Amino acid sequence: MKTKTFFSAAAIALSLSAFTTFSTAEKDVLGTWKLDEASIPQMVDGIITKAVAAAPDAEDKIKESKGEIVELVKSLQVTYKADGTYESASTQGLKHGKWVLTDKNHNIQITKADGTTRKDSILELTASKFKLLNRELKVTTLYVRP
């Protein structure tokens, strides 16, 4: 009888350990997010500033493309998955990579498919709001559920 009880308990423990437990922050980040309308101008300005810094000779051409950049940013949707991967969809198509919360859930680290990484500061994260300081573009953005 003791052997049967032991094996039953072991089987239950083994089956429960197969499920990954997520923190509240990890649960809240899962799913699809889009930029809040109010964050679009800051994001567009950040993208333009970064592009001009990388290619100062193309500043006029970059600024002429502002309308296209606005449409790209408006179309952006990011889906964070429980397996630690993400999918970014926009007018440019799909992009994939990995994500992880770091520093006691105060930052999110994004690793793009090409291996480059970016770490953003999480300013607010709830089931319906995801506010970040994008360190690469130096802008604060608010993401909401679509």
Side-chain angles (χ1 to χ4, degrees), residues 79-101:
T79 302
Y80 296 97
K81 300 177 182 181
D83 65 357
T85 62
Y86 75 87
E87 182 176 277
S88 174
S90 72
T91 55
Q92 290 184 332
L94 292 176
K95 295 180 182 178
H96 301 275
K98 296 180 181 182
W99 70 273
V100 64
L101 297 180

Side-chain angles (χ1 to χ4, degrees), residues 32-35 43 47 70-78 87-91 93 143:
T32 302
W33 297 92
K34 70 173 187 158
L35 272 172
M43 179 69 89
I47 291 169
V70 168
E71 291 308 310
L72 169 72
V73 170
K74 281 183 178 181
S75 72
L76 180 66
Q77 287 195 6
V78 181
E87 182 176 277
S88 174
S90 72
T91 55
Y143 290 85

Side-chain angles (χ1 to χ4, degrees), residues 11-142:
I12 291 170
L14 183 60
S15 68
L16 291 177
S17 68
F19 297 101
T20 304
T21 56
F22 292 103
S23 69
T24 301
E26 289 169 318
K27 287 178 187 173
D28 286 344
V29 79
L30 295 178
T32 302
W33 297 92
K34 70 173 187 158
L35 272 172
D36 182 69
E37 286 286 324
S39 291
I40 292 172
Q42 295 96 300
M43 179 69 89
V44 170
D45 290 345
I47 291 169
I48 290 172
T49 299
K50 182 181 176 193
V52 169
D57 294 341
E59 180 175 2
D60 291 339
K61 188 170 183 139
I62 292 168
K63 288 183 176 180
E64 287 172 11
S65 301
K66 185 175 182 172
E68 294 169 36
I69 296 169
V70 168
E71 291 308 310
L72 169 72
V73 170
K74 281 183 178 181
S75 72
L76 180 66
Q77 287 195 6
V78 181
T79 302
Y80 296 97
K81 300 177 182 181
D83 65 357
T85 62
Y86 75 87
E87 182 176 277
S88 174
S90 72
T91 55
Q92 290 184 332
L94 292 176
K95 295 180 182 178
H96 301 275
K98 296 180 181 182
W99 70 273
V100 64
L101 297 180
T102 64
D103 308 309
K104 298 181 181 177
N105 299 333
H106 293 292
N107 295 296
I108 185 167
Q109 181 173 308
I110 303 295
T111 304
K112 297 177 185 177
D114 67 4
T116 58
T117 62
R118 184 182 87 228
K119 188 184 272 190
D120 294 335
S121 298
I122 298 173
L123 304 176
E124 181 181 359
L125 177 57
T126 67
S128 61
K129 289 182 182 178
F130 191 17
K131 191 173 187 178
L132 296 171
L133 171 60
N134 182 313
R135 293 182 187 175
E136 186 177 274
L137 299 178
K138 298 178 178 71
V139 297
T140 299
T141 54
L142 175 63

